[in-house]
Amino acid sequence: MANLADEYGTDVEIYIKALTTTIHADTPTGAPTSLHDLLEQLGLERHEYPTGEPLYIWHTVPDHLGADEQKRLANRAIPALLLAGYTVNCDPEVFDEALYQQAVHRLQARAARPAPQQPAHASPPSRPAPARTGPPHPVSPGGPGTTPGPPTPRPIPRRNP
C-alpha cells in the first residue's frame, strides 16, 4: 500500500484526504518508532492497517475537533517535527503561515526559558559547566538558533493531454 511520504521521499506528508475533511499525516514505510511517538505526542491519532504486523501506519488529526482546531493542530506540529530533524511537506490547503509562525514563536519561547536550578551538591564541582548558548539541537537547515522556515511545497505533477 503506497502513501505520499513514500512517493515524495519525505518523513511526513500532511494533507486532507480526498473526498473527506480528514487531515492525514503519512509517514514512510518503516518509519522509526520515534517519529510515530512524536506525532502522537503532538496530538495526532495513530492508525494501522489491520494485520498482525503493521504494513501501513498513518496518523490523523482527531475528528472530534472542529475544522479550525484541526488545522491549528496540524500547523503546530510542523515546527516540532522540523526541530526533531524530520522533513515535512504540508499541502497548501492545510498550511497556514500565521498558525505556523505562532507555533514557531511558542517553541522559541519555550527554548529561551532558563532551565530550573539544580540543588546544590555537598561538594561543588572543580569547575563550572560551560553555559549553553543555543537550543539543544539544530533548528532547521539554516543551522542552530535559526527559525525553521515553512515546509516547501512539492511541485504539482502535470499531465499531458
Side-chain angles (χ1 to χ4, degrees):
M1 188 177 285
N3 66 54
L4 292 179
D6 285 335
E7 188 174 331
Y8 293 111
T10 57
D11 294 315
V12 182
E13 284 285 328
I14 300 173
Y15 64 98
I16 297 176
K17 186 169 180 168
L19 305 175
T20 73
T21 58
T22 305
I23 298 176
H24 276 244
D26 280 356
T27 56
T29 303
T33 302
S34 58
L35 174 55
H36 296 295
D37 291 346
L38 178 57
L39 287 164
E40 288 179 54
Q41 290 169 13
L42 294 169
L44 285 91
E45 297 175 340
R46 178 180 172 146
H47 306 274
E48 298 178 0
Y49 189 74
T51 64
E53 186 174 319
L55 297 175
Y56 181 52
I57 299 172
W58 72 99
H59 296 79
T60 60
V61 173
D63 288 335
H64 68 274
L65 300 175
D68 289 342
E69 188 57 32
Q70 287 183 5
K71 194 171 184 178
R72 194 175 354 258
L73 190 146
N75 279 273
R76 278 193 301 234
I78 297 168
L81 290 162
L82 292 172
L83 279 168
Y86 296 109
T87 56
V88 178
N89 186 48
C90 186
D91 188 278
E93 191 174 353
V94 176
F95 184 74
D96 182 295
E97 182 71 30
L99 293 173
Y100 171 81
Q101 289 300 331
Q102 287 174 358
V104 168
H105 292 300
R106 281 191 186 130
L107 283 175
Q108 288 174 334
R110 194 175 309 155
R113 288 185 197 142
Q117 295 292 328
Q118 297 293 329
H121 298 291
S123 59
S126 58
R127 58 182 184 174
R132 184 177 294 226
T133 58
H137 43 67
V139 178
S140 71
T146 61
T147 303
T152 54
R154 66 178 179 278
I156 298 172
R158 297 182 187 232
R159 297 186 179 141
N160 291 333

